[in-house]
Amino acid sequence: MTEKGGISRRTKLGTILSTVLWVIGFILLFVIKPDNPLVFLSDTFLLIGFWPLLFVWRAGWTWLVFGLLNIFIGFFLELAKFLPTDSMNPSMQAAYEQAKTHIISMHPALVWMFIGAASALFGLVRIGITIWRYLNSRKPRA
């Protein structure tokens, strides 16, 4: 169902909801300090902000790709804690340590992995339902 101008209510609602979640996430990024136990909320709101747009675009593979990429980023964030700095020159080592401290304190890897896993699982379910519906529509009716 589209309104004047060709944009559906569903699309408008998804866009507005995503924008609100992203604004909340960005505000929390500057309000919550690194030592606060609620530091995970900013990344959570920023990542979940994509969900309304993914609901608007009904393809299941977008959920799967979004989820897998977030899982990959979560693993990278976790791996960044353990990368060796022995072979770096001192100025590069100092910059890396500063970046590593920021990543560890402000971007919890588990948030990325959990939201990624939930998104990928939802995408797989949607893809499965689509395949099931397709196969059922191909059955000859008696």
Side-chain angles (χ1 to χ4, degrees), residues 17-27 45-47 49-50 53:
L17 204 57
S18 285
T19 304
V20 167
L21 290 168
W22 287 330
V23 168
I24 291 170
F26 277 117
I27 290 170
F45 275 99
L46 290 170
L47 291 173
F50 285 96
L53 297 178

Side-chain angles (χ1 to χ4, degrees), residues 35-54:
D35 56 344
N36 192 317
L38 299 176
V39 74
F40 69 92
L41 284 177
S42 61
D43 280 358
T44 302
F45 275 99
L46 290 170
L47 291 173
I48 289 177
F50 285 96
W51 286 359
L53 297 178
L54 292 171

Side-chain angles (χ1 to χ4, degrees), residues 6 27 38 52 59 76 81 94 131:
I27 290 170
L38 299 176
F76 178 76
K81 296 176 186 178
I131 292 170

